[in-house]
Amino acid sequence: MRRLFAFGEGNGKISPVEQAIIERALAGVNRQTMIKDFIKMLLGTLVLFLLLEGVCLVAGVPYGASHFVEKIVITEKFGTRKPPGEYRIFAFGESTMQGSQYAPRSNPARWLEAYLKDFLPDKKIRVVNFARMGRGSDFTADTFSQTLQYKPDLAVFYLGHNDFLHQNRHYEVKDAKKSFQSFARRLVMKSRVISQSSRWVLERRLRRKADRPDDSIEYDTIETPPRGIGEENKSVRTEPGYWDNLDFFRSNFIRILDTAEKYHVKVLFYESVCNLKDFAPWLSVHIKHLTPEQLETWTRLFEEGKVKQAQSSFVEALDLFRQAYVIDDTYAELSFRMGEICFKTGELADAKRYFEEARDNDAIIFRANKDTLTIMKQLEKEKGFPYLDTEKILVSEVPGGILGEPIIEDNVHFSIKGQSLVAKAAAQEIADRGWIAPRTEWKFDRERSFDEISKEFGIDGSFLVASYLKLVSYFGSRFENRVRFAQKALELEPANSRALRHLAWTYWLMGDKKRAVEVYQKLRQLDPGALEEVFKAQPEIKKIFEALP
């Protein structure tokens, strides 16, 4: 109990000045009390928080990870405490490993698990896929680090295609990691208590199916202008940023290797391969500086060569292209067209060389080029890690021994057969190194056929149709590719309304409205409701129909 005494003369009343002094004194006392109470509460909260952190540590609650990693861990239902005898293999990388249009039903990681269970039926083998579409080596290195607490025995990597794309490049990643949001996320991930609370929230969202998929290559509405690979992805090897980004890729690759060595995780890498013969460059530029006169001559020769090529006058076309090539050999489309002609005329060595030049001179690098592949091969020689020759694995499945369709269906993604072949090669490499068991214990005679495993995965006609239509969206403004895969879907299901819509819409985008309307008329006979959806998305198409006799 506090007592205040007032002394003075007069009638015993306190003057306003004295009253103010007393009130300030009381406020100061109350403020000190409040501060002390707050500090006690803060210390109590901190002690409780640290106690909970200790409980979580003893209980084996893992540190936090990215939203992407947490979702996979929750979905796959595994934790940091590995069951006795279980061998864990984690797969990392980009859409080629993720499975792209065939994910999640079919991808290299899933095929690897199927073969390992065939070959080692008595072993507990778990393969978990942490690959993600459109992400580069920095994302892969971070994801690998975040999954170490789940005790992988082996990590399998496929990377190299995406590092020059928008949001994956050095300066973009660096700026993103400097943001407050990124800093706060990294800080929160260091708390097991907060991370577990976040995990519970995410798990409830997944149960309600309220969380959006991380990866998608298909439009919600078919009749939508195609997404393009814009100029923001442009990278030319004469620019300083190109070489800075190569150094960034190298540093991320080394970071993966150093992390694996530190935590005693075995690693296996695939060499990145792409579609050379069936996928034209995204963006062609004159990397070499030309005078106005040289550019004029080059352009004339190139355009005349294109005309001759269209007329199937291959000898004349190649002669014109070679004259242009002498002036400037850095224009990607020129090299690609020369490769096409050489392939058709049976000059396969020259064809492959030109196709590779086209890939390497592409100003939008959506396929691992020579410089990226050189870094991986140099590091393989320096570090001695297992490095699978993916081209050698796949080359027997393609005409002329040059990678492309049918084993690589777009720019980089494997067909289902391709996924199975690279997975089987990885299983063979694991056996040769005796990683899970001595090779003598492997039962290769138990291998099921491709068709048997495909059936187990649920790969049937309906699934293939849906997958081909995803590719139609993925191809964007590459209309010939879009038409081909829409037609492949219709070969399997001629009355599939979505396939008809994709085909008709592609013709419409090409400016071939007559053929588009012909397909839409067929759609009207088979599925009038689907045609009404078309009209809602594109009223102009409705106007064309209303004008028909």
Side-chain angles (χ1 to χ4, degrees):
M1 179 178 178
R2 297 185 181 89
R3 296 178 180 177
L4 295 175
F5 297 92
F7 301 91
E9 300 178 355
N11 57 12
K13 291 182 179 180
I14 300 174
S15 69
V17 174
E18 291 171 328
Q19 180 68 34
I21 293 171
I22 292 170
E23 288 176 355
R24 281 198 297 271
L26 285 171
V29 170
N30 289 336
R31 191 179 298 112
Q32 290 177 2
T33 302
M34 289 175 62
I35 291 172
K36 288 179 181 179
D37 290 344
F38 177 75
I39 292 174
K40 288 179 182 179
M41 182 182 69
L42 190 64
L43 288 173
T45 303
L46 181 61
V47 170
L48 178 61
F49 181 78
L50 293 174
L51 181 63
L52 289 173
E53 284 287 338
V55 171
C56 288
L57 174 63
V58 173
V61 174
Y63 287 113
S66 68
H67 186 86
F68 172 75
V69 170
E70 297 283 21
K71 284 175 67 174
I72 293 173
V73 171
I74 291 169
T75 304
E76 293 288 336
K77 298 178 182 178
F78 70 98
T80 57
R81 292 180 176 173
K82 191 162 55 175
E86 182 176 86
Y87 194 93
R88 288 184 176 177
I89 301 174
F90 291 172
F92 300 93
E94 51 205 32
S95 52
T96 307
M97 180 65 80
Q98 181 260 357
S100 188
Q101 67 270 23
Y102 299 116
R105 194 173 298 187
S106 180
N107 55 54
R110 193 164 186 212
W111 279 93
L112 175 60
E113 185 172 50
Y115 284 126
L116 290 175
K117 287 183 177 180
D118 281 357
F119 301 153
L120 293 170
D122 300 325
K123 298 290 183 181
K124 297 178 183 178
I125 300 170
R126 187 82 179 271
V127 181
V128 183
N129 196 348
F130 288 99
R132 188 172 183 187
M133 293 187 73
R135 299 308 175 100
S137 58
D138 180 81
F139 175 87
T140 299
D142 286 347
T143 303
F144 178 42
S145 296
Q146 292 170 23
T147 59
L148 290 169
Q149 58 189 328
Y150 296 102
K151 301 178 179 61
D153 298 286
L154 169 64
V156 183
F157 295 89
Y158 192 106
L159 68 165
H161 291 309
N162 293 337
D163 279 75
F164 284 92
L165 294 185
H166 181 50
Q167 296 184 338
N168 289 331
R169 290 173 289 198
H170 182 206
Y171 69 91
E172 295 166 324
V173 173
K174 187 177 179 181
D175 289 345
K177 288 190 172 182
K178 284 182 178 178
S179 69
F180 175 78
Q181 183 180 6
S182 178
F183 170 78
R185 177 63 182 166
R186 292 195 301 271
L187 188 63
V188 166
M189 283 165 55
K190 295 182 182 296
S191 167
R192 298 174 192 267
V193 175
I194 298 175
S195 296
Q196 184 58 40
S197 300
S198 176
R199 222 170 270 129
W200 283 333
V201 173
L202 178 58
E203 188 171 5
R204 285 195 291 272
R205 285 180 60 84
L206 291 173
R207 284 177 181 172
R208 299 197 312 268
K209 297 183 179 179
D211 203 76
R212 296 183 65 185
D214 289 302
D215 301 313
S216 176
I217 63 173
E218 192 172 22
Y219 299 121
D220 293 332
T221 302
I222 294 173
E223 291 76 23
T224 303
R227 302 186 191 108
I229 303 297
E231 291 270 333
E232 71 276 6
N233 294 287
K234 183 178 176 181
S235 294
V236 181
R237 66 171 185 267
T238 53
E239 299 172 352
Y242 173 87
W243 299 100
D244 288 343
N245 209 59
L246 279 176
D247 289 339
F248 184 53
F249 174 76
R250 180 185 176 89
S251 67
N252 288 328
F253 205 107
I254 292 173
R255 182 153 64 101
I256 292 169
L257 294 173
D258 290 345
T259 301
E261 183 178 6
K262 179 179 179 181
Y263 290 91
H264 309 291
V265 179
K266 296 177 178 63
V267 294
L268 176 62
F269 286 83
Y270 286 101
E271 180 183 15
S272 301
V273 294
C274 66
N275 188 334
L276 290 172
K277 70 177 178 65
D278 302 307
F279 208 84
W282 290 96
L283 178 64
S284 300
V285 297
H286 290 284
I287 300 173
K288 183 178 178 180
H289 177 72
L290 300 179
T291 65
E293 294 77 13
Q294 287 175 318
L295 180 58
E296 182 181 359
T297 303
W298 185 96
T299 303
R300 177 180 56 79
L301 293 167
F302 180 63
E303 294 300 327
E304 289 177 2
K306 287 166 62 177
V307 171
K308 293 296 183 183
Q309 184 180 13
Q311 296 170 347
S312 299
S313 300
F314 297 135
V315 174
E316 294 176 77
L318 190 57
D319 180 62
L320 290 163
F321 286 152
R322 281 174 173 159
Q323 291 180 59
Y325 188 83
V326 172
I327 299 171
D328 183 13
D329 59 357
T330 67
Y331 198 82
E333 186 184 346
L334 172 62
S335 296
F336 184 79
R337 287 179 175 276
M338 294 173 75
E340 285 184 310
I341 294 173
C342 289
F343 184 80
K344 288 179 179 178
T345 57
E347 301 172 71
L348 298 181
D350 285 342
K352 185 178 181 183
R353 176 169 61 85
Y354 288 130
F355 284 139
E356 288 177 345
E357 285 182 4
R359 173 201 64 190
D360 298 336
N361 289 328
D362 198 340
I364 292 180
I365 304 171
F366 212 176
R367 299 175 291 178
N369 64 11
K370 178 176 64 177
D371 294 324
T372 302
L373 296 172
T374 297
I375 287 173
M376 289 192 274
K377 289 177 181 178
Q378 286 175 343
L379 288 174
E380 187 271 331
K381 290 180 181 178
E382 293 173 14
K383 304 286 187 178
F385 55 83
Y387 187 56
L388 291 176
D389 187 340
T390 316
E391 181 179 5
K392 185 177 180 180
I393 296 166
L394 300 174
V395 73
S396 63
E397 299 292 323
V398 291
I402 301 175
L403 290 181
E405 295 184 26
I407 210 69
I408 302 179
E409 294 179 325
D410 45 44
N411 57 322
V412 295
H413 302 125
F414 302 142
S415 65
I416 296 175
K417 182 65 174 180
Q419 293 175 351
S420 72
L421 291 173
V422 297
K424 190 190 299 185
Q428 292 282 357
E429 183 72 17
I430 293 168
D432 291 342
R433 292 179 179 272
W435 278 343
I436 302 176
R439 185 178 175 86
T440 53
E441 296 180 13
W442 288 63
K443 301 177 181 179
F444 294 106
D445 59 322
R446 296 185 72 258
E447 178 185 339
R448 288 172 293 164
S449 68
F450 172 79
D451 290 338
E452 285 181 276
I453 299 176
S454 295
K455 186 176 180 180
E456 177 190 303
F457 288 175
I459 298 171
D460 54 18
S462 297
F463 173 72
L464 290 175
V465 167
S467 301
Y468 293 157
L469 297 183
K470 288 179 183 179
L471 266 182
V472 174
S473 295
Y474 178 79
F475 279 123
S477 59
R478 291 174 175 264
F479 300 128
E480 291 183 6
N481 300 79
R482 289 174 64 108
V483 168
R484 186 163 70 256
F485 276 87
Q487 289 173 339
K488 285 182 70 171
L490 288 168
E491 287 173 6
L492 293 172
E493 293 183 7
N496 186 288
S497 60
R498 288 185 63 81
L500 288 168
R501 287 174 65 180
H502 272 293
L503 181 61
W505 177 238
T506 301
Y507 285 143
W508 186 273
L509 291 170
M510 295 169 68
D512 193 344
K513 295 186 178 181
K514 180 181 177 181
R515 295 177 75 179
V517 169
E518 289 175 357
V519 180
Y520 281 132
Q521 286 177 322
K522 185 175 182 181
L523 178 65
R524 180 167 57 180
Q525 296 173 353
L526 295 171
D527 191 347
L531 188 61
E532 288 300 319
E533 292 180 16
V534 175
F535 291 162
K536 288 178 183 178
Q538 295 292 333
E540 187 182 350
I541 298 175
K542 183 178 181 180
K543 291 179 182 178
I544 296 290
F545 262 80
E546 289 175 344
L548 291 175

